[in-house]
Amino acid sequence: MKYQNNFNPTISDEDVFSEIVKEKEYIGYYNLVHQETTAFKDYASGVKQSNVVVIGIGGSTLGTYAIYKFLKYSKKLTKNLYFLETTDPIDIKSKLEAINLNDTLFVVISKSGTTVETVSIFKYIHSLVKIDKNNTLVITEFDSKLNEYAKANDMKTFEIPKNVGGRFSVFSAVGLLPLAIVGIDIDELLGGAKEVYDSFFSKSVDYDGVMKKARLFVEYKNSFNINVVFSYSSRLEGFNKWYIQIWGESLGKVDINSTRQGLTPVGIIGPIDQHSFLQLIIEGRRDKTVTVIKVDDFHSDLKIPQVELEGLGELDYLDNIEFSSLINKQADATIASINNLNDIPCDVITIDTVNERSIASLMYEYELLTSVCAKFMYINAYDQPGVESGKIILKDKLKNR
């Protein structure tokens, strides 16, 4: 008698935790919270340019953008930060036209050192301005072709460790260096990430939350295979984009039984998407979980003024309400409308305030959540063979054009 199946037995929380502890010995992102930041801060303090342009794509930019987007309106930043991450010619041209390239530090980031999009944009920059050691910083693996180029031109380089995957690299030089240069406190970032690290690995609050959430996602993946992050702040638009990459690229895999696995990430912004996607959540198919992210303190006292609008007197109850209070009440209304249905899994994350520790804690928790989900699913969270095949095809097409 022969027997085959396409499912796995349920693995215990303790077994998963044990696997994560083992993995921590050779997967580098876990331990980035312990790193020394002096070299990053020393370099940052010497940058004279007013503008910083990060040239990269995917994991080389998304995490940095997420943190910058969250903090930029609450911090007195010392420099302007821009991202060139697409080969769309209109995007490239319009962004560069708004920047004084002679007062710009170019930060070229590529883990492999041969990323087509990154090298293409860097070549174009070369045609516009003189590129040399005074205005260019390279962040890459130390044995990459890009590192060879940097060394040949006496450019400053920082390393992306081989055991840190691109989409898990935000707390390495990839994110910390550009953020330090523009004036963000990278020690506070690492402090926020370390709080989650300590809580998880000591089996405290974050351990319980991550394990419970990961188990629900995986055990109900055939019913609820779409995971919606509903962020109630435009500041979290960058986080949503980062989440979509780390979730999709890490968890869309073939497992040990050659069964295709995957959880589909959706990132939306409230209250904007209350008027579109919420309809699909409430009355559409029951195939979605919802995570609502709120910000408790927006650092803003902006209020709705007491202005009389003829014919709209019935909305006078809005007068003198702070916009931060309004958006959180909109979030609460969404949460209540979902919970009242009793058939949509929903959880709520409340960020205390807008600072480095808050966004770093959120992102590190999602890195852990991704890794734990992968263990429950018996897949490798850190490779991306489905992406690599497309890169090979692209290079063949370009070489044989």
Side-chain angles (χ1 to χ4, degrees):
M1 182 175 70
K2 293 183 179 180
Y3 177 69
Q4 289 182 310
N5 68 74
N6 66 351
F7 57 86
N8 293 303
T10 300
I11 187 172
S12 71
D13 287 0
E14 192 57 45
D15 286 342
V16 165
F17 183 72
S18 177
E19 288 296 315
I20 292 292
V21 170
K22 291 177 187 176
E23 189 173 88
K24 190 157 63 77
E25 298 301 315
Y26 58 90
I27 296 297
Y29 91 83
Y30 291 104
N31 297 307
L32 291 174
V33 298
H34 305 303
Q35 71 189 296
E36 172 59 51
T37 61
T38 302
F40 300 153
K41 292 183 291 187
D42 285 348
Y43 179 85
S45 67
V47 174
K48 306 301 183 185
Q49 291 91 342
S50 301
N51 305 305
V52 179
V53 172
V54 174
I55 304 171
I57 193 171
S60 296
T61 57
L62 287 173
T64 310
Y65 175 72
I67 293 172
Y68 178 68
K69 171 75 173 180
F70 186 73
L71 296 173
K72 66 180 289 189
Y73 297 112
S74 296
K75 306 285 294 184
K76 291 183 178 179
L77 301 180
T78 57
K79 301 180 189 300
N80 304 307
L81 183 58
Y82 304 92
F83 298 87
L84 291 177
E85 52 191 341
T86 175
T87 50
D88 180 334
I90 303 302
D91 183 88
I92 295 170
K93 192 169 187 295
S94 62
K95 284 182 178 177
L96 292 178
E97 284 176 346
I99 302 170
N100 179 358
L101 299 182
N102 293 313
D103 189 22
T104 296
L105 174 71
F106 300 98
V107 183
V108 188
I109 306 177
S110 170
K111 182 172 170 63
S112 69
T114 56
T115 308
V116 167
E117 296 84 356
T118 304
V119 174
S120 299
I121 296 169
F122 190 41
K123 280 176 172 284
Y124 181 66
I125 297 293
H126 262 276
S127 72
L128 302 177
V129 65
K130 181 183 178 182
I131 292 294
D132 58 29
K133 65 180 182 179
N134 298 310
N135 67 353
T136 305
L137 167 67
V138 170
I139 303 174
T140 185
E141 289 184 348
F142 273 179
D143 60 354
S144 75
K145 296 294 185 183
L146 180 60
N147 194 63
E148 290 180 14
Y149 161 85
K151 292 299 184 184
N153 289 277
D154 198 27
M155 293 173 178
K156 180 66 176 176
T157 62
F158 283 87
E159 182 183 16
I160 304 174
K162 280 192 174 295
N163 64 355
V164 176
R167 59 188 175 276
F168 289 86
S169 66
V170 63
F171 298 116
S172 71
V174 168
L176 296 185
L177 254 175
L179 294 169
I181 291 168
V182 300
I184 288 170
D185 190 332
I186 60 174
D187 289 326
E188 282 293 291
L189 286 174
L190 289 184
K194 190 173 185 301
E195 285 178 3
V196 176
Y197 173 98
D198 290 341
S199 177
F200 179 82
F201 285 105
S202 65
K203 294 189 175 181
S204 189
V205 175
D206 285 288
Y207 170 86
D208 294 334
V210 168
M211 285 294 181
K212 183 176 182 180
K213 190 168 181 174
R215 180 175 289 281
L216 181 141
F217 282 163
V218 175
E219 291 189 348
Y220 289 89
K221 67 181 184 296
N222 293 325
S223 300
F224 298 97
N225 67 313
I226 300 172
N227 307 128
V228 180
V229 166
F230 206 158
S231 296
Y232 269 79
S233 172
S234 295
R235 295 170 180 264
L236 289 165
E237 175 254 344
F239 169 80
N240 283 9
K241 290 182 177 180
W242 174 84
Y243 152 72
I244 287 170
Q245 188 205 17
I246 197 170
W247 203 248
E249 197 167 1
S250 300
L251 301 181
K253 302 289 174 61
V254 176
D255 69 11
I256 59 173
N257 285 334
S258 300
T259 303
R260 296 184 186 279
Q261 301 290 336
L263 293 168
T264 301
V266 174
I268 56 180
I269 296 292
I272 300 167
D273 293 309
Q274 281 182 203
H275 296 267
S276 54
F277 206 90
L278 184 58
Q279 173 64 36
L280 179 62
I281 293 171
I282 297 297
E283 292 195 343
R285 289 186 58 192
R286 293 305 189 250
D287 55 1
K288 292 169 281 293
T289 66
V290 180
T291 296
V292 177
I293 304 179
K294 299 171 56 180
V295 177
D296 189 37
D297 183 0
F298 278 83
H299 290 182
S300 173
D301 57 2
L302 192 69
K303 287 185 178 181
I304 303 168
Q306 190 171 339
V307 175
E308 292 187 10
L309 299 176
E310 185 176 350
L312 295 175
E314 65 185 56
L315 294 175
D316 284 349
Y317 60 81
L318 295 172
D319 292 352
N320 298 314
I321 295 176
E322 291 188 354
F323 278 97
S324 58
S325 176
L326 174 59
I327 194 171
N328 278 328
K329 289 184 186 301
Q330 289 171 306
D332 292 340
T334 293
I335 294 162
S337 67
I338 293 171
N339 287 340
N340 288 342
L341 297 170
N342 293 316
D343 61 357
I344 300 174
C346 178
D347 67 314
V348 181
I349 298 172
T350 302
I351 297 174
D352 293 334
T353 189
V354 180
N355 62 23
E356 286 93 341
R357 282 182 176 263
S358 295
I359 187 63
S361 296
L362 177 66
M363 294 176 73
Y364 194 80
E365 182 169 310
Y366 261 85
E367 289 183 332
L368 287 175
L369 180 63
T370 303
S371 295
V372 172
C373 281
K375 290 299 179 188
F376 275 124
M377 296 166 74
Y378 296 88
I379 60 175
N380 178 0
Y382 310 107
D383 63 356
Q384 50 277 332
V387 176
E388 297 305 319
S389 61
K391 291 180 181 179
I392 294 170
I393 293 170
L394 173 61
K395 287 182 180 179
D396 285 344
K397 287 181 176 293
L398 293 173
K399 287 179 180 179
N400 298 313
R401 69 186 190 278

